[in-house]
Structure formats: C-alpha cells, structure tokens
Amino acid sequence: MPRKSDSYLKNYQKLKKIAETMREPDEPDIDQLVVMVSEATKAYKNCQVRIEAVEKALGLAEEGSNDTLG
C-alpha cells in the first residue's frame, strides 16, 4: 500500500504532466483530451483530499496547543 504522501506526489506529478501536454502547441487528439481531463480531475480531487487532511491536522494541533496556554 503506498504511503499517503506518495499518493499526493504521484497525483501532483500526474497533474503537472497533463498540464504540460495540454500546453503543447500541437492540437491534441480530442479523444485523448477527454481522457486527460478525466485523469486530471481524479488527480486533483485526490490532492485536495490530502491537503484538507493536512489542514485539519494542523488546525487540531494549533487548537490543542492553545488549550495548554490558557
């Protein structure tokens, strides 16, 4: 089972590769474009889930440290 950070990095790299492919001056094959958009959407959602989990963990850590101060 891949580590969650590997999953994030893998999905982020996939997004970068798709973006680079779409920026190429050649006209993309419309069938490939549909596949690329679908893959990019999945990769984006996976990255977003990880980012939200990290934000939540950081928020909980900050709230926990404020309790000990006050």
Side-chain angles (χ1 to χ4, degrees):
M1 179 175 196
R3 294 182 320 198
K4 290 188 180 206
S5 60
D6 289 342
S7 178
Y8 174 84
L9 292 174
K10 179 181 168 186
N11 284 292
Y12 180 74
Q13 291 300 324
K14 184 181 284 190
L15 281 171
K16 281 180 58 174
K17 183 177 179 181
I18 291 170
E20 289 169 6
T21 301
M22 294 177 97
R23 285 188 194 117
E24 291 177 2
D26 296 334
E27 207 170 298
D29 175 11
I30 192 72
D31 294 324
Q32 288 293 39
L33 185 61
V34 170
V35 171
M36 285 190 294
V37 169
S38 176
E39 288 179 4
T41 300
K42 273 197 247 180
Y44 173 80
K45 287 179 182 178
N46 289 334
C47 287
Q48 189 64 33
V49 166
R50 280 302 295 144
I51 290 168
E52 289 172 0
V54 169
E55 288 175 341
K56 183 178 179 183
L58 291 174
L60 291 175
E62 288 176 18
E63 288 176 13
S65 65
N66 287 339
D67 291 342
T68 59
L69 295 175

